Amino acid sequence: QVQLVESGGGLVQAGGSLRLSCAASGRTFSSSYMAWFRQAPGKERDFVALISASSSRIYYADSVKGRFTISRDNAKNTVYLQMNSLKPEDTAVYYCAARGRHISGDYYRRDLYDYWGQGTQVTVSS
């Protein structure tokens, strides 16, 4: 069993930055693929970013490419999402997700992930 706890959300003005953290329990973190998703009110939960266990594979949604950076520290069992140049349309609840097995494709699919955090709210004001 893996538990994920997100933190770092909050209210920020457009153009500002936030850094989200996701702390994972369990011994499988270092071998897990980790992802961030987000869900705006009335919308589906969408893929934001993925990082492989060794950090050799990183993918981003087109909407955040060049502004967001995903990283991980396996010694701390933590994955991060650095969000810069934030826009009002980035407002959402951000979720951390984990998968303990290899992902060969379709990494943006919610159903591939085995564990989810409770989410952290990010609000960007204009």
Side-chain angles (χ1 to χ4, degrees), residues 32-73:
S32 296
Y33 282 70
M34 301 297 297
W36 289 95
F37 285 75
R38 67 185 181 185
Q39 187 168 17
K43 296 188 177 181
E44 292 189 347
R45 192 173 299 188
D46 292 331
F47 170 80
V48 174
L50 168 78
I51 188 166
S52 64
S54 65
S55 301
S56 60
R57 295 172 62 196
I58 291 176
Y59 301 105
Y60 296 99
D62 287 343
S63 58
V64 306
K65 205 170 292 183
R67 299 187 298 122
F68 290 11
T69 303
I70 189 171
S71 62
R72 65 190 296 161
D73 185 337

Side-chain angles (χ1 to χ4, degrees), residues 64-92:
V64 306
K65 205 170 292 183
R67 299 187 298 122
F68 290 11
T69 303
I70 189 171
S71 62
R72 65 190 296 161
D73 185 337
N74 287 343
K76 295 182 178 180
N77 277 16
T78 302
V79 63
Y80 304 97
L81 186 68
Q82 178 66 43
M83 306 186 295
N84 298 329
S85 303
L86 283 162
K87 304 175 182 179
E89 51 263 44
D90 294 318
T91 294

